[in-house]
Amino acid sequence: MRSSHKKKKSMIKNFIIFFLVLILLGAGTVLYSRFIATKGLQIHEYKIQNKLFEKNFHGFKIIHVTDIHYLTTVDQNDLKNLVKKINQLKPDVVVLTGDLLDEDIEYDNQELEILETELSKIEVTTNKYAISGDEDDKKTEWETVIKNSNFINLNNSSDFIYNGYGSPIMISGLSSNIKEKDMITTKIKPIEDKIDATLPTVDQNGNRLYGINNPIYQILLIHEPDYIDEINYHKFQLILAGHSMNGQIQLPGIGGIMKKKGATKYTEPSYDLEGTKLMISNGLGTSNIPYRFLNKPSINLYRLTK
């Protein structure tokens, strides 16, 4: 009987220890996900190759920033560090693909001025471009912040990027499509018409002849990646998106577990869609819950090469 009693006490003790270890691991994971995994900054670098870049874009650098959700887990110090890292990389272009702001936060004038001041310090050799995300669209101040930060609002429009002498790159952007998915075909139509109108001429041997008004490459900025299936995305060689945040919470062997409307199909960092590259940045802030796990805040650096 005494031996049986000791065995029972030992089992209870081991169970309590096991239970306490589980609690500590759970608490540690929560604290890590909230205060450590949401801080810092990773840079994911990619090579974007095209034989036409040797003319004037070989070595050109584009930095892709998305989903800052300012003042969720990204504060002023994080913003300062972001700008410092970007400027150290000496980019030619910086693009922001939506959700600079967060729908659940009411920003006062001082907070918006800080945001504008810091973003204005981003240095590029050409231009900075931005499109709105679904949460930006709920904020009337987004357009003012973008303008005062010296970004070009590229919502449903296009621009030419010139670098030295030669043909340009055409960069286009679409505003968020969460509210009106069917409207994307209407928004993309003027962009497609512009692409068709600026196609290069062809000589008698079938070689394309590019001039200073004929883009050698087409880039599209879109917030929610899934909606590229609603358009003829093959008209673009490179599509840059955000929104998915790669699931925000990553689990080993499973991947991202927080799927969002507009980012349930395309959730990985990159895709090759029959010659069209789709690149999705994991973003910087957090959405809905202030946690990240196995998914540090990051930006993408694309180096164009021949």
Side-chain angles (χ1 to χ4, degrees):
M1 290 291 293
R2 187 176 297 176
S3 174
S4 177
H5 181 67
K6 284 183 177 180
K7 187 177 181 181
K8 186 176 181 180
K9 284 185 65 176
S10 177
M11 289 178 61
I12 293 173
K13 180 180 178 181
N14 289 338
F15 177 77
I16 292 172
I17 291 173
F18 177 73
F19 186 68
L20 289 174
V21 169
L22 283 181
I23 291 175
L24 289 173
L25 284 174
T29 300
V30 170
L31 291 172
Y32 168 82
S33 300
R34 174 64 182 88
F35 298 106
I36 298 177
T38 57
K39 296 298 179 180
L41 178 63
Q42 293 183 344
I43 299 167
H44 299 153
E45 185 169 338
Y46 300 89
K47 180 171 70 173
I48 305 296
Q49 198 164 13
N50 188 294
K51 63 182 181 180
L52 294 173
F53 288 152
E54 64 181 321
K55 288 186 175 181
N56 55 335
F57 283 102
H58 176 63
F60 199 80
K61 290 182 286 188
I62 300 173
I63 286 182
H64 179 192
V65 182
T66 196
D67 294 271
I68 292 177
H69 291 274
Y70 186 53
L71 295 184
T72 51
T73 50
V74 176
D75 58 24
Q76 184 180 0
N77 290 330
D78 298 317
L79 202 59
K80 286 178 178 290
N81 182 55
L82 169 66
V83 173
K84 180 181 178 182
K85 290 287 187 181
I86 289 175
N87 289 342
Q88 286 174 347
L89 293 169
K90 300 185 183 303
D92 297 291
V93 165
V94 170
V95 300
L96 175 60
T97 56
D99 283 356
L100 170 64
L101 305 177
D102 190 90
E103 65 175 325
D104 295 327
I105 295 177
E106 294 297 326
Y107 300 94
D108 60 33
N109 289 335
Q110 183 179 6
E111 291 164 343
L112 293 174
E113 286 176 8
I114 289 172
L115 185 58
E116 293 170 357
T117 299
E118 296 304 325
L119 291 178
S120 296
K121 295 176 183 177
I122 294 176
E123 300 171 355
V124 294
T125 62
T126 55
N127 289 319
K128 302 184 293 188
Y129 298 98
I131 59 170
S132 61
D134 55 304
E135 302 203 14
D136 295 319
D137 284 349
K138 298 169 185 175
K139 298 291 184 180
T140 57
E141 56 265 49
W142 180 82
E143 287 192 17
T144 301
V145 171
I146 290 303
K147 180 180 178 181
N148 292 344
S149 303
N150 301 319
F151 276 76
I152 293 174
N153 181 349
L154 206 62
N155 276 345
N156 312 318
S157 61
S158 301
D159 193 26
F160 283 169
I161 302 172
Y162 289 93
N163 188 51
Y165 179 78
S167 302
I169 286 174
M170 182 173 163
I171 185 168
S172 306
L174 294 174
S175 59
S176 171
N177 296 284
I178 286 285
K179 286 184 179 179
E180 299 175 308
K181 169 186 168 183
D182 296 338
M183 283 295 293
I184 191 171
T185 53
T186 301
K187 293 191 293 186
I188 198 73
K189 182 64 166 56
I191 293 172
E192 291 180 331
D193 289 346
K194 189 172 182 179
I195 291 173
D196 294 340
T198 56
L199 289 174
T201 56
V202 180
D203 67 15
Q204 60 184 2
N205 297 316
N207 298 314
R208 293 184 175 186
L209 302 175
Y210 291 90
I212 60 171
N213 296 316
N214 308 118
I216 59 174
Y217 201 73
Q218 297 285 348
I219 298 175
L220 175 66
L221 309 183
I222 188 170
H223 183 60
E224 304 95 359
D226 285 2
Y227 297 130
I228 64 169
D229 287 342
E230 306 298 320
I231 64 175
N232 182 7
Y233 58 74
H234 295 297
K235 285 183 176 287
F236 305 91
Q237 287 80 52
L238 179 63
I239 301 175
L240 307 181
H243 190 59
S244 84
M245 300 172 80
N246 206 205
Q248 192 167 318
I249 305 293
Q250 290 266 332
L251 296 180
I254 297 176
I257 62 172
M258 292 179 62
K259 300 292 179 70
K260 304 168 72 174
K261 182 181 179 182
T264 60
K265 179 179 178 180
Y266 299 109
T267 58
E268 297 299 318
S270 65
Y271 295 86
D272 191 338
L273 306 173
E274 300 174 341
T276 297
K277 291 184 180 297
L278 169 61
M279 310 298 296
I280 305 172
S281 175
N282 294 347
L284 293 162
T286 55
S287 180
N288 297 320
I289 60 172
Y291 297 92
R292 280 179 174 261
F293 188 71
L294 301 180
N295 185 6
K296 295 283 284 185
S298 66
I299 59 176
N300 286 359
L301 168 62
Y302 309 113
R303 291 182 184 269
L304 308 190
T305 182
K306 61 184 179 181

